[in-house]
């Protein structure tokens, strides 16, 4: 029994460490206006309490209906999406907190928070606070977005899933403009390079070297492209000035966003 207990403890320790690294990659948390098991908007002030607790433990949290900062409005993948689920029994109120990324992939699930209180609001609040005890232990600290992480040369950081995976160190930045097979674009403070391929373009982030972040596939009409990258995915086309016009859905707001990648 002692070996099984030790093995289970080691697994819990490893998984907790992995969850902490993943959570630390995200700058924001978005809390819904309501939870499915309650339906009413901010019922028992549980959504407001969720936002409060995330902020208490170092996160920057927003309710779905709040005004978002500009970088989050432009890129919903900077945020994790929180959900609270009820797993209550006859005599106990039980809640768990779940965090998903913009692709609906579960990043973290808390342990059950429990309460034996009979009053609904008191029970929900106590159970939620108890569920957040595990989140408190994560010691969350934002460590930067995928582009920042990609510039880190440590082997540990290179294994993080949210980061670009392929680095072409042999292609130097100063070669970009003179290469007829490449096109340089700027989007806000980010520089992207489109490199011609049979299927369309390989897309790179421009740093000290070019870091592959996705692909642009030519559609059947040969006039538009399907762009698939870590953070920018949607349909786009080249305008008469050579800019790339991208239309995508912001997962944070579920609204259509038009990005203009300005040719340099």
């Amino acid at each position: 029994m002692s070996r099984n207990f030790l093995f289970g403890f080691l697994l819990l320790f490893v998984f907790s460490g992995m969850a902490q690294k993943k959570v630390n990659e995200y700058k924001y948390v978005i809390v819904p206006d309501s939870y499915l098991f309650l339906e009413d908007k901010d019922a028992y002030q549980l959504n407001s309490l969720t936002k409060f607790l995330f902020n208490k433990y170092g996160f920057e949290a927003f309710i779905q209906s709040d005004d978002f900062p500009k970088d989050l409005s432009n890129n919903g993948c900077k945020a994790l999406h929180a959900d609270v689920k009820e797993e209550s029994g006859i005599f106990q109120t039980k809640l768990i907190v779940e965090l998903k990324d913009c692709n609906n992939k579960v990043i973290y699930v808390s342990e059950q928070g429990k309460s034996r209180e009979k009053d609904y609001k008191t029970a929900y609040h106590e159970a939620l606070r108890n569920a957040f005890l595990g989140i408190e232990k994560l010691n969350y600290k934002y460590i930067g977005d995928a582009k920042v992480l990609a510039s880190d040369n440590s082997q540990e950081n290179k294994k993080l899933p949210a980061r670009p995976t392929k680095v072409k160190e042999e292609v130097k930045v100063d070669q970009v403009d003179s290469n007829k097979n490449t096109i340089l674009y700027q989007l806000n403070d980010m520089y992207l390079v489109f490199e011609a391929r049979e299927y369309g373009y390989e897309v790179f982030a421009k740093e000290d070297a070019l870091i592959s972040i996705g692909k642009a596939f030519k559609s059947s009409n040969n006039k538009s492209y399907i762009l698939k990258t870590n953070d920018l995915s949607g349909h786009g086309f080249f305008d008469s000035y050579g800019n790339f016009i991208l239309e995508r859905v912001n997962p944070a707001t579920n609204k259509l966003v038009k990005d203009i990648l300005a040719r340099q």
Side-chain angles (χ1 to χ4, degrees):
M1 292 295 293
S2 60
R3 288 183 179 180
N4 290 337
F5 175 80
L6 179 59
F7 181 70
F9 176 79
L10 289 175
L11 281 179
L12 179 62
F13 180 78
V14 171
F15 289 140
S16 297
M18 292 173 62
Q20 180 184 22
K21 290 178 181 178
K22 289 182 179 179
V23 170
N24 287 350
E25 294 173 27
Y26 296 87
K27 189 173 183 179
Y28 304 106
V29 173
I30 298 174
V31 178
D33 293 306
S34 61
Y35 296 123
L36 287 178
F37 66 95
L38 292 175
E39 295 184 357
D40 290 340
K41 186 175 180 180
D42 202 16
Y44 302 109
Q45 288 76 56
L46 200 61
N47 302 77
S48 295
L49 179 61
T50 306
K51 174 184 175 180
F52 169 80
L53 290 172
F54 272 118
N55 285 324
K56 178 181 179 181
Y57 296 126
F59 295 81
E60 192 169 353
F62 298 90
I63 298 287
Q64 183 72 49
S65 56
D66 289 343
D67 292 329
F68 294 158
K70 185 177 180 180
D71 60 338
L72 178 55
S73 295
N74 290 335
N75 183 2
C77 289
K78 285 182 174 291
L80 288 170
H81 294 256
D83 193 14
V84 173
K85 297 183 177 179
E86 185 178 30
E87 299 181 344
S88 298
I90 299 176
F91 302 108
Q92 280 187 316
T93 298
K94 302 175 184 178
L95 299 178
I96 63 167
V97 180
E98 190 175 82
L99 290 171
K100 293 183 179 181
D101 65 13
C102 62
N103 295 313
N104 210 35
K105 179 181 178 181
V106 176
I107 300 298
Y108 172 83
V109 179
S110 74
E111 295 183 13
Q112 281 186 345
K114 302 176 182 179
S115 175
R116 290 186 176 274
E117 294 290 337
K118 294 181 180 180
D119 177 73
Y120 281 118
K121 182 174 181 179
T122 303
Y124 282 135
H125 280 219
E126 182 178 45
L128 185 63
R129 288 180 181 276
N130 288 333
F132 263 84
L133 294 177
I135 295 175
E136 178 184 10
K137 293 177 183 177
L138 289 177
N139 294 316
Y140 166 80
K141 185 177 181 180
Y142 177 57
I143 58 174
D145 59 23
K147 187 174 71 170
V148 175
L149 290 173
S151 66
D152 195 319
N153 292 322
S154 72
Q155 291 299 318
E156 181 179 359
N157 277 341
K158 286 183 180 179
K159 295 178 182 178
L160 292 174
R163 299 176 49 220
T165 56
K166 294 186 287 184
V167 178
K168 295 189 63 178
E169 294 184 357
E170 70 276 9
V171 182
K172 301 301 181 181
V173 170
D174 57 7
Q175 294 176 335
V176 170
D177 294 335
S178 61
N179 190 333
K180 65 181 180 180
N181 292 320
T182 62
I183 313 172
L184 178 63
Y185 292 99
Q186 182 176 1
L187 177 62
N188 298 325
D189 60 347
M190 177 170 56
Y191 287 90
L192 301 172
V193 174
F194 281 35
E195 189 173 284
R197 295 285 191 274
E198 289 184 4
Y199 53 79
Y201 295 92
E202 185 83 5
V203 182
F204 299 88
K206 176 186 172 184
E207 300 192 18
D208 294 333
L210 299 184
I211 302 166
S212 177
I213 61 172
K215 303 177 186 298
F217 296 94
K218 187 181 296 184
S219 65
S220 58
N221 62 16
N222 289 324
K223 295 181 180 179
S224 62
Y225 293 81
I226 300 171
L227 184 64
K228 289 189 175 182
T229 74
N230 292 332
D231 295 334
L232 298 172
S233 294
H235 289 78
F237 62 91
F238 295 100
D239 66 13
S240 58
Y241 299 99
N243 302 314
F244 189 78
I245 311 301
L246 174 65
E247 289 188 338
R248 60 187 176 87
V249 176
N250 186 326
T253 61
N254 290 322
K255 293 182 178 180
L256 187 65
V257 177
K258 179 182 286 187
D259 294 310
I260 300 177
L261 281 63
R263 184 165 184 169
Q264 302 300 296

